[in-house]
Amino acid sequence: MTGWPQVALIALSATGMYITVILLTRLAGVRSFSKMSGFDFAVTVAIGSVLASVIMSKDPPLASGIAALVSLFGLQIGMAVLRSRFPGLQTMADNKPRLIMIGGEVQHDQLKKAKMTESDLWGKLRESNAFQFSQVLAVIAETTGDVCVLHTDGEDRRIEPELLKDVIGGERYARSLART
């Protein structure tokens, strides 16, 4: 059974962890809770796990929790710095986005490599309010696992080339425009 002293200790630990997360997020920047890469996502999940463990523990280990958070944020900052200085590390650590649909044409090889099914794709199209294949310019499986549907209601049917830079299969979009 939990008594008032235990409740007070949990509240104190939660407050300490909350303040620590705010301070570390201010130091680390907005990327702290982003999901720009698989590494970012893993750190975000780990931070949540540490918070829950410390706050819900019978005897909250506040100092251990703070040390774990500082370590996780430090690793994330360190990895971000290393990735910016060593492009090879970024290539190793991050997935690349994949072009999985051009117009109404599914790129089955890329869909398979993204470990998606057509049903997954149709769901993402519905989610993005694409009503017809003619509205779809391209669909990209992003590095985070998100699926981005680029669509239009207007006459302009072109995507700026920079938006497809470093997208696996992005050159297929340019070739499809050349054919039309």
Side-chain angles (χ1 to χ4, degrees):
M1 188 186 296
T2 303
W4 287 111
Q6 186 66 27
V7 170
L9 189 56
I10 290 170
L12 182 64
S13 290
T15 302
M17 294 299 284
Y18 180 76
I19 291 168
T20 301
V21 167
I22 289 173
L23 291 173
L24 290 172
T25 301
R26 294 285 293 159
L27 289 171
V30 295
R31 189 178 184 119
S32 301
F33 291 105
S34 75
K35 52 180 191 169
M36 291 183 197
S37 71
F39 182 77
D40 294 321
F41 179 71
V43 169
T44 299
V45 170
I47 289 169
S49 179
V50 168
L51 284 171
S53 295
V54 170
I55 292 169
M56 298 308 295
S57 176
K58 185 175 180 181
D59 296 311
L62 185 58
S64 298
I66 290 172
L69 287 179
V70 168
S71 297
L72 288 169
F73 276 86
L75 286 168
Q76 188 175 34
I77 291 168
M79 185 63 142
V81 168
L82 289 173
R83 286 171 55 226
S84 68
R85 290 190 181 156
F86 303 105
L89 182 60
Q90 182 171 0
T91 302
M92 233 174 41
D94 295 344
N95 293 322
K96 281 196 166 199
R98 293 182 177 280
L99 184 65
I100 58 175
M101 188 171 182
I102 302 170
E105 184 182 331
V106 177
Q107 306 297 299
H108 290 282
D109 62 325
Q110 295 303 322
L111 188 71
K112 184 177 179 180
K113 287 178 181 174
K115 311 274 191 286
M116 290 178 61
T117 66
E118 280 191 359
S119 294
D120 297 330
L121 178 58
W122 305 149
K124 291 299 181 179
L125 289 170
R126 290 188 299 271
E127 204 175 273
S128 74
N129 295 321
F131 301 107
Q132 300 173 354
F133 288 135
S134 62
Q135 293 176 305
V136 177
L137 300 177
V139 179
I140 300 168
E142 297 290 353
T143 61
T144 60
D146 290 335
V147 175
C148 177
V149 179
L150 303 174
H151 56 87
T152 183
D153 291 336
E155 295 295 318
D156 192 5
R157 310 262 325 138
R158 294 181 187 265
I159 299 171
E160 293 289 330
E162 283 295 308
L163 292 176
L164 297 177
K165 184 179 178 190
D166 297 327
V167 174
I168 296 172
E171 72 286 348
R172 295 179 186 184
Y173 179 80
R175 284 197 306 262
S176 75
L177 284 180
R179 286 186 295 221
T180 59

